[in-house]
Amino acid sequence: MNPSAPRRPALPAAVALALCGSLALTACGSSGSSGPAATGPVTVAGVSISADPALHDALPETVRKAGKVRAATDVPYPPFEMYVSEGSKELTGLDYDLGQAVGARLGVRFEFQAQKFEGIVPALQAGKYDVAISAITDNKERGQVVDFVDYSVSGSGVLVAKGNPQKITTLDDLCGRAVAVQSATNQQKLLDQHQDKCRELGRGAIDVQAFPKDSDAQLALRSGKVVADVLTKPAAGWTAKTADNGSAFEVVDDPAALGGYHASPNGIAVAKNLPQLTDAVQKAVQSLIDDGSLARIYDKYGVASIAVRQATRNGAVD
């Protein structure tokens, strides 16, 4: 997540509150103390995940004794964090599933609690939580006060009508055309910054049409008033997967920017005073990458392109 822009373009309520059953989820839980048992395999995204005794033994003693990791998250932020249904306290989403998978591999329970995003890092510093999983951008400023285990890399993506009738493949293909975007976002800045490139190519400027909400931008795309909607790559993938059961939109995957344009790493934030936990979480995430479990989680939410091959530690680039 980019701290200099709105955390996300808004998704329609019907999309954001996708039911657990509609995605055949098996790792739905709550924002309270319930969750998978610390012993025995746990099924996440259709994959059975068992504990690694060596990783469990490497956890800090306080975590082993508690049998749980206290995890903060800011809900909703589809597809990373969502409630199972409107009015429910049960959580679902990529980050929730990731937490359950990492916990299962470590042999402990990840206990999620809702926390406003701006208060997450201070709460970690204060010892209220052990970790935070909330699509947090790993940047150097945050890295001074918390440690990160990076699990995805994401930037801006391009959403087009199903079938991509205008054959959009890169940002250059947006030159001289009408494109929707949510106002005051990094995605609008991206389009504004690309205007010089359009002029160099002699294709004319992008006709940037800014809307208060991304749901409005999607309506413009549905009606054919624009050829594309530019939003975050994860939100684009989730929208393409869920809108009209996947029949309305698709995402442009530029080979030169699979994670999205101006992509940055997202990481699990861990309190600085728990280096053993950071090390164990990193090894657990890497093991989930290596055995394909993490890819199954990404696929379920339509965001396979933001996956990483290495669970890097403090991989901030800014």
Side-chain angles (χ1 to χ4, degrees):
M1 159 186 329
N2 193 309
S4 64
R7 192 175 170 207
R8 72 201 186 288
L11 294 183
V15 174
L17 296 171
L19 293 177
C20 178
S22 69
L23 286 177
L25 301 182
T26 53
C28 295
S30 75
S31 58
S33 60
S34 63
T39 59
V42 175
T43 301
V44 182
V47 179
S48 180
I49 300 171
S50 299
D52 182 329
L55 290 182
H56 179 78
D57 291 345
L59 289 169
E61 183 179 2
T62 53
V63 173
R64 290 200 311 273
K65 286 184 176 180
K68 66 182 181 182
V69 172
R70 300 167 300 164
T73 195
D74 181 25
V75 192
Y77 182 40
F80 291 96
E81 289 83 36
M82 299 175 282
Y83 290 113
V84 170
S85 60
E86 189 170 2
S88 171
K89 294 296 184 181
E90 289 185 282
L91 298 180
T92 184
L94 188 153
D95 281 347
Y96 180 81
D97 279 7
L98 172 65
Q100 302 317 307
V102 171
R105 185 54 44 87
L106 295 176
V108 294
R109 184 178 69 249
F110 266 56
E111 183 179 282
F112 279 78
Q113 295 287 341
Q115 169 72 52
K116 290 296 184 183
F117 187 75
E118 61 271 17
I120 284 179
V121 171
L124 275 175
Q125 292 179 274
K128 184 177 180 180
Y129 305 106
D130 306 310
V131 305
I133 313 179
S134 200
I136 305 173
T137 298
D138 174 2
N139 60 34
K140 290 184 178 179
E141 180 182 0
R142 292 180 179 136
Q144 293 177 4
V145 293
V146 297
D147 287 320
F148 283 100
V149 174
D150 299 328
Y151 61 94
S152 69
V153 57
S154 61
S156 299
V158 179
L159 188 72
V160 297
K162 193 71 173 182
N164 195 4
Q166 301 299 321
K167 307 302 179 187
I168 305 297
T169 58
T170 70
L171 282 181
D172 294 343
D173 295 328
L174 302 180
C175 298
R177 293 172 165 177
V179 179
V181 70
Q182 184 178 2
S183 59
T185 61
N186 271 1
Q187 288 69 51
Q188 184 173 13
K189 292 178 183 178
L190 174 70
L191 293 179
D192 291 342
Q193 292 167 357
H194 203 71
Q195 299 290 27
D196 287 340
K197 180 67 179 299
C198 289
R199 283 188 284 270
E200 289 177 12
L201 294 171
R203 297 185 183 181
I206 301 171
D207 178 9
V208 180
Q209 298 191 13
F211 296 88
K213 299 182 295 182
D214 188 69
S215 54
D216 298 328
Q218 291 177 32
L219 287 175
L221 180 57
R222 283 180 180 272
S223 65
K225 294 180 180 178
V226 298
V227 300
D229 172 21
V230 179
L231 63 169
T232 69
K233 189 73 183 286
W238 176 246
T239 300
K241 185 177 181 70
T242 58
D244 298 351
N245 294 317
S247 65
F249 307 115
E250 66 182 65
V251 180
V252 173
D253 284 325
D254 184 341
L258 286 178
Y261 299 101
H262 294 183
S264 55
N266 297 321
I268 299 173
V270 187
K272 282 279 190 185
N273 66 336
L274 294 172
Q276 288 176 273
L277 181 58
T278 302
D279 186 59
V281 167
Q282 182 182 18
K283 290 176 179 176
V285 173
Q286 187 61 53
S287 74
L288 295 169
I289 293 172
D290 293 341
D291 70 11
S293 299
L294 201 59
R296 291 283 294 274
I297 295 175
Y298 286 110
D299 285 342
K300 186 172 71 177
Y301 295 100
V303 295
S305 65
I306 71 170
V308 296
R309 294 183 179 180
Q310 295 293 324
T312 54
R313 191 164 170 171
N314 297 325
V317 295
D318 63 337

